[in-house]
Amino acid sequence: MKREEILSAIYHCVKCKLCSIVSFHPNEEWLPLCPSGQFYGYQAFYAPGKMEIFREILEGEISEPSEGLLKAVYACTLCGACYEKCKQVSSVEIRLPELFEEMRHELAVKGWALDAHRGIVEKIRETRNAYGERYEYKYRYRYKRGDREGAESPGGDADADVLYYIGCTARYRVPEIADAMLSILNKLGIRYQLMEDEWCCGSVLLRTGQVEAAKELMEHNVEEIRRSGAKRIVFTCPGCLKTFRQNYPDMGVELLHSTEFLARMHIKVDDKLDINVAYHDPCHLGRDLGIYEEPRSLLAEVAHIKQMKREREQAWCCGSGGGVKSAYDDFALWCATERLAEAREAGAEALVSACPFCKRNLREAAEIEGKGAGLGVYDIVELVNRCLKEGGARR
Ligand code: SF4
Ligand code: SF4
């Protein structure tokens, strides 16, 4: 974005703060919408406050950032709830998460990026994944014992049209999601390939303003995908998908989230699970990519859905996006705990998402709550995989 465009957007904000609350009518109560403002409680943490900080930076009113200023900038999950709400109540579209990413880029250029985020650049430089892990992801489902020790590399068919891009978080923090996706592909008899040398998509770098460091990753992945000859890429991570759709050059291939891909398969399940679940909209999937229906229709096939108060455009964020999990874990876990409470209030026994980032953070919060109080936390593909038999049918 150009400087004039940014300042014009900032000056269009009337500081009404309606972007901090869910619309009153559907629930007949004022529910919070902005995790950052709600947790920290100061004006600077809400969207208009962050914009005021950006104005001050751009107009040269800040020469050295204080710790508090950095926290107001970076303790924001870039969930986009403020943007959606502002769009509803004002006649001007202020693209807030984009502005906040620009602000972080401005800070990174000045050398003010957080150490936690600089550390991710280092890890990616050394290992090509955001967690600095040096081992290979292994596929577990082919082994009855289920332990990853004896598991094997996933394989696949090098000339398949479908390529599954696993992503750092499903590889190294919630491998059960990658396991489930691969198991579904195998059960449905869909030929797939994996990237020979998959690198981080660069999402975390772009969201934390470290744009330059993302370029090499993107170039590598584009080259690998072109060489693969794949026609469709499937993602279980909405963050990777958003990055490929919005930040990568057009590679002439179809980019699909797992729920879009599987909804098109019209999977037939014989036995639905006897469980009440709430569906948590991942911010990148819902607000950023407008994918609300496919996860719901897929989930309705395998479980009984209970509705939460804050859903779709006004969903409460899980708390882990935008570099928050790595820099402000207490805030990230608080957001997740709030979401678990909402799911429980809706009568759910489990909270289901469609994003490895969401699952990881929600699961951690559920574990802290303890076994008795905690809810089950799943990704949709895990439940679909559970219901699907070997040689699973499509309608
Ligand atoms: S709703 Fe829009 S105009 Fe109102 S404070 Fe939020 S960003 Fe500014
Ligand atoms: S992106 Fe989310 S956390 Fe950040 S200011 Fe907007 S509503 Fe708050």
Short mmCIF file of all heavy atoms in Angstrom, two decimals, residues 98-123:
data_model
loop_
_atom_site.label_atom_id
_atom_site.label_comp_id
_atom_site.label_asym_id
_atom_site.label_seq_id
_atom_site.Cartn_x
_atom_site.Cartn_y
_atom_site.Cartn_z
N GLU A 98 -4.52 -5.60 6.77
CA GLU A 98 -3.50 -5.21 5.79
C GLU A 98 -2.70 -4.00 6.30
O GLU A 98 -1.48 -3.94 6.16
CB GLU A 98 -4.20 -4.83 4.49
CG GLU A 98 -3.76 -5.66 3.30
CD GLU A 98 -4.58 -5.30 2.09
OE1 GLU A 98 -5.74 -5.76 2.04
OE2 GLU A 98 -4.09 -4.55 1.23
N LEU A 99 -3.42 -3.06 6.90
CA LEU A 99 -2.74 -1.88 7.48
C LEU A 99 -1.79 -2.31 8.60
O LEU A 99 -0.67 -1.82 8.70
CB LEU A 99 -3.76 -0.93 8.10
CG LEU A 99 -4.55 0.01 7.21
CD1 LEU A 99 -5.47 0.85 8.07
CD2 LEU A 99 -3.63 0.91 6.41
N PHE A 100 -2.26 -3.25 9.42
CA PHE A 100 -1.42 -3.68 10.54
C PHE A 100 -0.19 -4.44 10.05
O PHE A 100 0.89 -4.35 10.65
CB PHE A 100 -2.23 -4.55 11.53
CG PHE A 100 -3.43 -3.84 12.10
CD1 PHE A 100 -4.55 -4.55 12.52
CD2 PHE A 100 -3.45 -2.46 12.22
CE1 PHE A 100 -5.66 -3.89 13.05
CE2 PHE A 100 -4.56 -1.78 12.74
CZ PHE A 100 -5.67 -2.51 13.15
N GLU A 101 -0.34 -5.19 8.96
CA GLU A 101 0.84 -5.86 8.38
C GLU A 101 1.81 -4.83 7.82
O GLU A 101 3.03 -4.96 7.96
CB GLU A 101 0.42 -6.83 7.27
CG GLU A 101 -0.12 -8.13 7.80
CD GLU A 101 -0.54 -9.10 6.70
OE1 GLU A 101 -0.06 -8.99 5.56
OE2 GLU A 101 -1.37 -9.99 7.00
N GLU A 102 1.27 -3.78 7.21
CA GLU A 102 2.13 -2.69 6.69
C GLU A 102 2.89 -2.03 7.85
O GLU A 102 4.06 -1.70 7.74
CB GLU A 102 1.29 -1.63 5.98
CG GLU A 102 0.69 -2.08 4.67
CD GLU A 102 1.69 -2.09 3.51
OE1 GLU A 102 2.84 -1.63 3.70
OE2 GLU A 102 1.32 -2.57 2.43
N MET A 103 2.18 -1.85 8.95
CA MET A 103 2.81 -1.21 10.12
C MET A 103 3.97 -2.09 10.63
O MET A 103 5.04 -1.59 10.96
CB MET A 103 1.76 -1.02 11.21
CG MET A 103 2.31 -0.56 12.56
SD MET A 103 1.09 0.20 13.64
CE MET A 103 -0.10 -1.10 13.88
N ARG A 104 3.76 -3.39 10.65
CA ARG A 104 4.81 -4.29 11.12
C ARG A 104 5.99 -4.28 10.15
O ARG A 104 7.14 -4.38 10.57
CB ARG A 104 4.24 -5.71 11.26
CG ARG A 104 3.25 -5.80 12.42
CD ARG A 104 2.45 -7.08 12.38
NE ARG A 104 1.56 -7.16 13.54
CZ ARG A 104 1.11 -8.28 14.06
NH1 ARG A 104 1.44 -9.45 13.52
NH2 ARG A 104 0.31 -8.28 15.10
N HIS A 105 5.68 -4.16 8.87
CA HIS A 105 6.77 -4.08 7.89
C HIS A 105 7.58 -2.80 8.13
O HIS A 105 8.81 -2.82 8.12
CB HIS A 105 6.19 -4.10 6.47
CG HIS A 105 7.25 -4.12 5.41
ND1 HIS A 105 7.15 -3.45 4.23
CD2 HIS A 105 8.46 -4.74 5.37
CE1 HIS A 105 8.26 -3.64 3.51
NE2 HIS A 105 9.05 -4.42 4.19
N GLU A 106 6.86 -1.72 8.36
CA GLU A 106 7.52 -0.43 8.64
C GLU A 106 8.44 -0.58 9.87
O GLU A 106 9.58 -0.11 9.88
CB GLU A 106 6.42 0.60 8.95
CG GLU A 106 6.87 2.03 9.04
CD GLU A 106 7.10 2.68 7.69
OE1 GLU A 106 6.55 2.20 6.68
OE2 GLU A 106 7.88 3.65 7.66
N LEU A 107 7.95 -1.27 10.88
CA LEU A 107 8.75 -1.48 12.10
C LEU A 107 9.96 -2.38 11.82
O LEU A 107 11.06 -2.13 12.31
CB LEU A 107 7.89 -2.11 13.20
CG LEU A 107 7.33 -1.14 14.26
CD1 LEU A 107 6.43 -0.10 13.63
CD2 LEU A 107 6.58 -1.88 15.34
N ALA A 108 9.74 -3.44 11.02
CA ALA A 108 10.84 -4.36 10.70
C ALA A 108 11.93 -3.63 9.93
O ALA A 108 13.13 -3.83 10.18
CB ALA A 108 10.31 -5.55 9.90
N VAL A 109 11.52 -2.76 9.00
CA VAL A 109 12.49 -1.99 8.22
C VAL A 109 13.32 -1.10 9.14
O VAL A 109 14.52 -0.90 8.94
CB VAL A 109 11.76 -1.16 7.12
CG1 VAL A 109 12.69 -0.15 6.47
CG2 VAL A 109 11.16 -2.09 6.07
N LYS A 110 12.70 -0.56 10.18
CA LYS A 110 13.42 0.28 11.14
C LYS A 110 14.26 -0.54 12.11
O LYS A 110 14.92 0.00 12.99
CB LYS A 110 12.41 1.13 11.95
CG LYS A 110 11.72 2.23 11.16
CD LYS A 110 10.77 2.95 12.10
CE LYS A 110 9.87 3.96 11.39
NZ LYS A 110 10.57 5.10 10.82
N GLY A 111 14.16 -1.87 12.01
CA GLY A 111 14.91 -2.74 12.93
C GLY A 111 14.23 -2.94 14.27
O GLY A 111 14.87 -3.29 15.26
N TRP A 112 12.91 -2.71 14.31
CA TRP A 112 12.17 -2.81 15.57
C TRP A 112 11.37 -4.11 15.70
O TRP A 112 10.51 -4.21 16.59
CB TRP A 112 11.20 -1.63 15.72
CG TRP A 112 11.86 -0.28 15.78
CD1 TRP A 112 13.19 -0.02 15.97
CD2 TRP A 112 11.22 0.99 15.64
NE1 TRP A 112 13.42 1.34 15.95
CE2 TRP A 112 12.22 1.98 15.76
CE3 TRP A 112 9.90 1.40 15.44
CZ2 TRP A 112 11.95 3.34 15.67
CZ3 TRP A 112 9.62 2.75 15.36
CH2 TRP A 112 10.64 3.71 15.48
N ALA A 113 11.60 -5.07 14.82
CA ALA A 113 10.84 -6.33 14.93
C ALA A 113 11.12 -7.00 16.26
O ALA A 113 12.20 -6.81 16.86
CB ALA A 113 11.23 -7.27 13.78
N LEU A 114 10.18 -7.80 16.74
CA LEU A 114 10.37 -8.49 18.02
C LEU A 114 11.43 -9.58 17.89
O LEU A 114 11.55 -10.21 16.84
CB LEU A 114 9.06 -9.17 18.45
CG LEU A 114 7.84 -8.30 18.73
CD1 LEU A 114 6.68 -9.19 19.16
CD2 LEU A 114 8.13 -7.26 19.81
N ASP A 115 12.16 -9.83 18.97
CA ASP A 115 13.17 -10.90 18.96
C ASP A 115 12.51 -12.25 18.64
O ASP A 115 13.08 -13.06 17.91
CB ASP A 115 13.87 -11.00 20.33
CG ASP A 115 14.82 -9.82 20.53
OD1 ASP A 115 15.13 -9.14 19.52
OD2 ASP A 115 15.24 -9.60 21.68
N ALA A 116 11.32 -12.47 19.20
CA ALA A 116 10.63 -13.76 18.96
C ALA A 116 10.39 -13.96 17.47
O ALA A 116 10.48 -15.08 16.96
CB ALA A 116 9.30 -13.78 19.71
N HIS A 117 10.07 -12.89 16.77
CA HIS A 117 9.80 -13.00 15.33
C HIS A 117 11.09 -13.07 14.51
O HIS A 117 11.16 -13.77 13.50
CB HIS A 117 8.92 -11.84 14.87
CG HIS A 117 7.55 -11.88 15.49
ND1 HIS A 117 6.72 -10.79 15.57
CD2 HIS A 117 6.88 -12.91 16.08
CE1 HIS A 117 5.59 -11.14 16.17
NE2 HIS A 117 5.67 -12.41 16.51
N ARG A 118 12.11 -12.36 14.97
CA ARG A 118 13.42 -12.48 14.28
C ARG A 118 13.93 -13.90 14.39
O ARG A 118 14.56 -14.43 13.49
CB ARG A 118 14.44 -11.53 14.93
CG ARG A 118 14.25 -10.09 14.50
CD ARG A 118 15.58 -9.35 14.60
NE ARG A 118 15.30 -7.94 14.81
CZ ARG A 118 15.40 -7.31 15.96
NH1 ARG A 118 15.82 -7.94 17.03
NH2 ARG A 118 15.10 -6.04 16.06
N GLY A 119 13.65 -14.52 15.52
CA GLY A 119 14.09 -15.90 15.76
C GLY A 119 13.47 -16.86 14.74
O GLY A 119 14.09 -17.84 14.34
N ILE A 120 12.24 -16.56 14.32
CA ILE A 120 11.58 -17.43 13.32
C ILE A 120 12.31 -17.33 11.98
O ILE A 120 12.50 -18.33 11.28
CB ILE A 120 10.08 -17.07 13.17
CG1 ILE A 120 9.36 -17.28 14.50
CG2 ILE A 120 9.43 -17.91 12.08
CD1 ILE A 120 7.92 -16.83 14.54
N VAL A 121 12.76 -16.13 11.65
CA VAL A 121 13.52 -15.95 10.40
C VAL A 121 14.76 -16.84 10.44
O VAL A 121 15.09 -17.54 9.48
CB VAL A 121 13.94 -14.47 10.20
CG1 VAL A 121 14.82 -14.31 8.96
CG2 VAL A 121 12.72 -13.58 10.10
N GLU A 122 15.43 -16.84 11.58
CA GLU A 122 16.65 -17.65 11.73
C GLU A 122 16.35 -19.13 11.58
O GLU A 122 17.05 -19.87 10.88
CB GLU A 122 17.29 -17.39 13.10
CG GLU A 122 18.01 -16.06 13.22
CD GLU A 122 18.94 -15.79 12.05
OE1 GLU A 122 19.75 -16.67 11.74
OE2 GLU A 122 18.84 -14.71 11.43
N LYS A 123 15.28 -19.56 12.26
CA LYS A 123 14.91 -20.99 12.19
C LYS A 123 14.61 -21.39 10.75
O LYS A 123 15.03 -22.45 10.28
CB LYS A 123 13.68 -21.26 13.06
CG LYS A 123 13.98 -21.30 14.54
CD LYS A 123 12.70 -21.49 15.33
CE LYS A 123 13.00 -21.39 16.81
NZ LYS A 123 11.82 -21.17 17.61
#
